[in-house]
Each structure stands twice: as structure tokens, then as C-alpha cells.
Amino acid sequence: MIRRAPAIAKVCVMGWPITHSRSPLIHNFWIRQLGIKDALYERLPVPPNEMQDTLKRLGDLGYIGANVTVPHKETVFAALMRHDAMARRLRAVNTIVMTDDGLEGRNTDAYGFITNLRDRAPNWRADRGPAVMLGAGGAARAVAAALDDAGVTQIRIVNRTRARAAALVADLGLKRVQIFTWEQMHEALASAELLVNTTTLGMAGERDLEIDLKPLSPSALVTDIVYTPLETGLLKAARARGLDVVDGLGMLLHQAVPGFEAWFGRRPQVSAELRARVLADMGIVEGKP
Ligand code: ATR
């Protein structure tokens, strides 16, 4: 009798480039921690012109699911027939699940953002006052949807390109919202209870966001979705003013949870140990600069 080796449940993250993705570290940590047998999470570099074809062959390549990152999130949304409500709302997919009816595109970025905020700043309340969001790109869409769903009293979007902010508002059907230009920053920040940076400013290699935080409410929370560096110039300035801050690493960790649960049937935890493991990979020991 020929004994077949058990099939390996493989999941991948698809992007271009994909070398720096920390998703394999996160998912393989959980696979080991939960003792899931014959499972593997790996990087799959996919150039833009090969994305459609790779999706068609995903099952044949041995994958039971995937994550999707830059620059493929919108392409994958358009290529798939089935989506969850958030992917439909954002018109972008970051998680693919193989269902009985074929591939389903989901989006867990908004979940990751709001879960991180609630986890790291349990005292923050959506109804406390206006939230200011800097930026109107792809990541901003997920943040805006999360804030809208959380029920913030008002979302104030500040973006260099006004038309992009207006498109975001229209596409997401946001109601309690106001758009500001970069020059109107002071007005936008006035008495706000939450400030979120979704722009690329402050990221390693980019210049810092230099804004005067004085107009914010003294009880405001400041968060950045940039996590390299972990403490951006914005977070440093906010901390110096005595404001509560939440860094962006937790968004990456939390957005990974629903995908893992869908693929492997176990809900993983975002623990201090996982955070320390990812930080160590970034060369950071928490508590030390
Ligand atoms: P992501 O997918 O990470 O959100 P993106 O879609 O390219 O990236 O969006 C980048 C965001 O950073 C945008 O809001 C962009 O502003 P514009 O819409 O005006 O382009 C913002 N951004 C990038 N560089 C900036 C700069 N130098 N000053 C102000 N905003 C900047």
C-alpha cells in the first residue's frame, strides 16, 4: 500500500516587492505556537503583470489562502468574483480565503486598525469628539471606514490633494466628514480627540511630519500607521506634549488574525511575545531607543 505524505496547508503573501514583509514571521509564529501540523506561510513575489494568472493557479500551487499587499490589493479585488462586505466597501483585498465556492477576497485592514487602537488605548471612545485623519491614500480608506463604523462624531480629512480626499468620501459614502487642505491644519486639529497619520510622511527614508499639535484637545490620542520607525516624529512630538500615543505595529499584527483563523480554524492571539518577536526582527528591544 502506498502511503501518501500528508499535504501541507500552504498560505502565502503576494506582493511586489515582498522581501520585507513580516507576515511570514507573524503567521509562522502562530503556526508553531498553536502546534498546527503541516502548515507553512511563505512569501510569493508576484510582478503586477502576473497577478491575474497567479490567482487562477493559486490552488494548483498548493495554497489554501493568501494575503495580498502592495501593489496588488485593488487588482485582486477586481479579479475575484466573491468578496466580504469590507473588501467591497474599500474595493481592495488583503486576505484571500478558499471557500467551497472558490476564492473569496476579504479586507481586514480596518479591523486591524481599530482593534489595535482599542487594545493599546482602552480609554479612547469614538464618541468623545472629532477624529483627524492625515492622508487619503489606500491605507486611509481602511482607517476612515474603521472610524466611521466605530461611530466617531466627525472625521476631518487633511490631504495634500483635495480631490483624492473627496473621492475617498464619495466612494465610502461617509456622512459625518469634513475635508481640509494641508494649509488648514490648525483649524482641522482644533479640539480633536484623535489624530491618525496615514500618509507616508515619517516613514524611514521620508521626511517627518512637522505639525503643531497645540490645537488638539489635551485628552487627544495620537496614532500613526507607519511602524518603521516604531516611534515616528509625530508620536515623539505627541508624547512630549503628554498626549497618549499608539504606534502602528499592532495594526499589522491584528489584521493578520482573521485570515489565520479562516485558513487554519484557530483564532491566534496578538501577544506581547509576538510583538517582541517582530520588534526583534526590526532590531528593536522595546523600552530602548
Ligand atoms: P498608502 O497605500 O500607503 O496609503 P498612497 O495610496 O500612495 O499610500 O497614499 C499616500 C498618502 O500620503 C496620500 O494621502 C498622499 O497625499 P496625496 O494624496 O496628496 O498624494 C500622502 N503623501 C505622500 N507624500 C506626501 C507629502 N510629501 N506631503 C503630504 N502628503 C503626502
Side-chain angles (χ1 to χ4, degrees), residues 66-134:
N67 280 127
V68 181
T69 186
V70 179
H72 300 311
K73 291 183 178 185
E74 289 81 11
T75 318
V76 170
F77 172 83
L80 294 181
M81 306 290 287
R82 289 176 189 78
H83 309 95
D84 72 354
M86 189 54 85
R88 261 195 303 276
R89 189 165 185 208
L90 302 180
R91 304 187 67 76
V93 163
N94 79 332
T95 303
I96 300 175
V97 175
M98 191 95 65
T99 71
D100 291 342
D101 300 323
L103 300 182
E104 182 178 303
R106 301 183 181 176
N107 197 304
T108 66
D109 285 333
Y111 166 85
F113 171 75
I114 204 74
T115 309
N116 180 42
L117 207 63
R118 297 217 148 110
D119 180 43
R120 309 283 294 181
N123 293 329
W124 177 77
R125 294 275 174 278
D127 59 5
R128 208 157 72 179
V132 178
M133 182 177 80
L134 309 179

Side-chain angles (χ1 to χ4, degrees), residues 207-251:
R207 67 180 169 83
D208 255 334
L209 253 176
E210 276 168 18
I211 56 177
D212 179 7
L213 299 177
K214 216 180 297 153
L216 286 174
S217 156
S219 55
L221 172 66
V222 178
T223 184
D224 204 324
I225 70 163
V226 170
Y227 63 90
T228 47
L230 189 62
E231 184 171 65
T232 57
L234 173 69
L235 296 186
K236 192 178 266 183
R239 211 158 46 84
R241 291 194 68 81
L243 301 171
D244 285 338
V245 301
V246 171
D247 66 64
L249 182 60
M251 178 176 176

